[in-house]
Amino acid sequence: MAHPHPSVPARRRTVHRPSPLAQEESRCVPAPRTPPLGPGLPRRRGGPAAARATAAGNATAVTRSGDTFTVAIDAADRSGTLWIKAGNHAVTGAFTVTATGLTLPAGTPVTAGGPIPQANWKVVSVDSQETAAESGAAANAIDGNSATIWHTQWSTTATPLPHEIQLDLCARYSVDSLTCLPRQDGSVNGRIGGYEIYVSDSTGNWGTPVATGTFADTGAAKAVNFTPKNGRYVRLRALDEAGNRGPWTSAAEITATGTPVP
């Protein structure tokens, strides 16, 4: 089963979330009335995310003592925006940022989307599934078992591409990512190549896709992050087979992340 995204708390002045696997803190830093900033300024404390840090932009060096990072900043950089990013680390606690020589405005807590519970999901629609020659029902893609697969029909006349599966999350979410785990049984047939992802409150009006692209022809989980969209239903369209081996589509698991909304 694909790895879920952790619930990633963050604090920032300006809301800007690039992905559910990342957290950032943006603070508008006014020009200080004290001497220019030098080494030993903003310090970041955190739990698991405080494993490593690198300097970028006007941050010229980073030193670490336990879970505290001390960042040296170019003295000429007296004002602007301070960004702190936790990358793809699983963070369970909020950032703490302090500075010498100036006051940081309070940020607004923001919680990134976590895994959407799969237990109550339902398959609303699927254009094709193989249930005669193998157990390839669409429901296998949301059963929490990476050993089972959804596979489109192949034993008689193969259903032509594109293929699609529509899922009911059984509640409204602000959905911000979808992960597709290809089949893990040793076969490569049906791996999704080109894809489209939709989120909607209605299966009768999907609108434009929230994400499009092409998956690599590998067995690794494929996570797609996108601008959050509210909805109860998710639609995954497979436009072609990753290796052009035939008109099939298969998937071991489909998961998503988001936050509940009214």
Side-chain angles (χ1 to χ4, degrees):
M1 184 174 181
H3 294 297
H5 295 275
S7 180
V8 182
R11 299 184 64 194
R12 57 193 172 189
R13 188 68 172 179
T14 303
V15 177
H16 173 75
R17 182 173 63 191
S19 77
L21 291 180
Q23 76 175 23
E24 300 178 344
E25 179 167 356
S26 173
R27 302 288 185 87
C28 295
V29 182
R33 297 179 180 177
T34 54
L37 306 183
L41 289 182
R43 294 169 302 185
R44 168 191 153 201
R45 300 186 184 94
R52 62 187 179 187
T54 56
N58 289 328
T60 58
V62 177
T63 59
R64 177 184 179 184
S65 176
D67 283 338
T68 297
F69 291 89
T70 300
V71 184
I73 296 180
D74 190 331
D77 185 29
R78 295 186 171 194
S79 63
T81 301
L82 172 64
W83 289 93
I84 300 177
K85 184 175 182 180
N88 292 336
H89 299 289
V91 181
T92 57
F95 279 101
T96 298
V97 177
T98 60
T100 301
L102 71 162
T103 301
L104 294 175
T108 301
V110 178
T111 302
I116 299 176
Q118 202 182 38
N120 295 323
W121 290 17
K122 298 177 182 178
V123 175
V124 176
S125 175
V126 64
D127 76 299
S128 178
Q129 56 185 350
E130 179 59 58
T131 57
E134 69 172 329
S135 178
N140 291 342
I142 57 171
D143 65 356
N145 183 358
S146 61
T148 62
I149 65 169
W150 161 47
H151 200 297
T152 55
Q153 183 176 308
W154 58 266
S155 62
T156 54
T157 301
T159 308
L161 288 156
H163 297 299
E164 70 173 66
I165 184 171
Q166 299 179 14
L167 304 173
D168 180 0
L169 308 181
C170 291
R172 293 189 80 231
Y173 290 86
S174 176
V175 185
D176 53 35
S177 83
L178 181 142
T179 296
C180 180
L181 178 68
R183 61 191 300 175
Q184 302 293 295
D185 59 359
S187 176
V188 299
N189 288 346
R191 287 178 179 169
I192 297 174
Y195 66 84
E196 294 176 348
I197 299 170
Y198 299 78
V199 176
S200 178
D201 278 318
S202 169
T203 58
N205 181 15
W206 289 103
T208 57
V210 294
T212 62
T214 302
F215 291 144
D217 188 13
T218 70
K222 311 300 190 301
V224 182
N225 303 313
F226 45 81
T227 301
K229 183 177 180 181
N230 294 350
R232 173 171 172 162
Y233 303 96
V234 172
R235 176 191 187 195
L236 173 62
R237 295 190 73 219
L239 307 181
D240 53 47
E241 207 263 5
N244 294 315
R245 290 171 286 262
W248 317 295
T249 290
S250 64
E253 286 296 305
I254 298 172
T255 57
T257 64
T259 55
V261 294

